[in-house]
Amino acid sequence: MKGLRVAIDGPAGAGKSTIARRVAEALGLLYVDTGAMYRGITWVALQKGIDPADAAALANLARAVHVELRPEKDGVRVWIDGQDITPFLRDPGVSRAVPAVSGVPAVRMRMMELQKDLARRGGVVMDGRDIGTAIMPDAEVKVFLTASLEERAKRRVKELRGYGHRIDPDQVGRELAERDRADAAREFSPLVKAPDARVIDTTGRDVESVVEEVLTLCRTRLLKGEE
Ligand code: CDP
């Protein structure tokens, strides 16, 4: 399994990061959370008072910052310019601004470059929106994870409450739907299912059974490769 590349894409709140991390752990592969990279740069932009609509300022920022993903026991941590900013990645303000920031071509090009470098080494499980189409189009295993909007909103409400945020469930649902719309509508590497991705609808399913399904795909793919 050492060189295996697994691409996991899908809409907001479909459970990509939970599944991707578990699959990576089970197979001893590196887990790369590309959403965390876009969230990280968005948080820095907001800290610096950059307007998420200011593409030129965001492009300059993307060129100037040093983004690093550090895998640790409790998950991947994001360091930007020597600061661990992981605790801020799920802030509602970051979630609202991230589609605008990630839609700026220069920001994407910079992040995609870093992601392609990580992918080139092989032995990765990477999750995001354009992994099976743009970052690892030749990945051995491609999965497109979905779930009903209602279920995705329910999971996100639970997650945000766990972080201590006060939230309105209806607003969470509206914001997830709006983020999907923006991610799918952008011109440059949008959220789209790769033609050869396996669609897994996780509505009403537990994490364990989805992880098992992805692991089975990985094993089947490896057996085929050895024929
Ligand atoms: O966890 P959740 O599904 O809410 O989102 P995420 O994976 O953390 O991604 C946050 C945002 O980053 C997305 O809504 C996209 O705007 C952007 N993103 C992207 O454009 N391309 C990726 N490969 C990953 C994330």
Side-chain angles (χ1 to χ4, degrees), residues 9-17 33-36 38-39 90 95 98-100 102-103 108 115 127-131 135 156 159 176 179-180 183 186 189:
D9 290 301
K16 299 180 298 290
S17 50
D33 178 353
T34 63
Y38 289 103
R39 285 175 179 274
R90 294 277 159 188
S95 298
V98 66
S102 69
R108 291 204 79 74
Q115 292 157 16
D127 78 344
R129 301 291 185 288
D130 56 349
I131 309 306
I135 306 296
R156 193 45 52 95
E159 182 188 4
L176 283 184
R179 193 139 61 83
D180 290 345
D183 287 343
R186 75 168 164 253
S189 81

Side-chain angles (χ1 to χ4, degrees), residues 129-198:
R129 301 291 185 288
D130 56 349
I131 309 306
T133 50
I135 306 296
M136 308 198 292
D138 49 358
E140 287 77 18
V141 176
K142 294 186 189 179
V143 171
F144 193 83
L145 274 193
T146 62
S148 69
L149 180 62
E150 201 191 357
E151 172 124 352
R152 293 189 282 123
K154 241 196 313 195
R155 290 180 192 157
R156 193 45 52 95
V157 165
K158 203 169 147 206
E159 182 188 4
L160 289 171
R161 289 209 170 120
Y163 291 134
H165 291 294
R166 286 183 53 205
I167 30 143
D168 165 8
D170 289 341
Q171 191 187 348
V172 170
R174 280 195 302 274
E175 287 184 0
L176 283 184
E178 173 49 30
R179 193 139 61 83
D180 290 345
R181 197 204 50 73
D183 287 343
R186 75 168 164 253
E187 235 167 90
F188 187 35
S189 81
L191 161 67
V192 62
K193 185 186 96 58
D196 51 347
R198 159 86 70 103

Side-chain angles (χ1 to χ4, degrees), residues 5 32 34 37 108-122 124 126 130-131 133-137 188-189:
R5 287 159 304 172
V32 178
T34 63
M37 297 169 80
R108 291 204 79 74
M109 283 196 298
R110 178 77 188 110
M111 296 299 137
M112 289 169 81
E113 202 182 297
L114 296 171
Q115 292 157 16
K116 284 183 179 171
D117 272 350
L118 289 165
R120 243 189 300 276
R121 307 189 311 199
V124 286
M126 207 176 271
D130 56 349
I131 309 306
T133 50
I135 306 296
M136 308 198 292
F188 187 35
S189 81

Side-chain angles (χ1 to χ4, degrees), residues 3 35 43 62 91 138 179 196 209 211:
W43 184 79
D91 281 359
D138 49 358
R179 193 139 61 83
D196 51 347
S209 83
V211 169

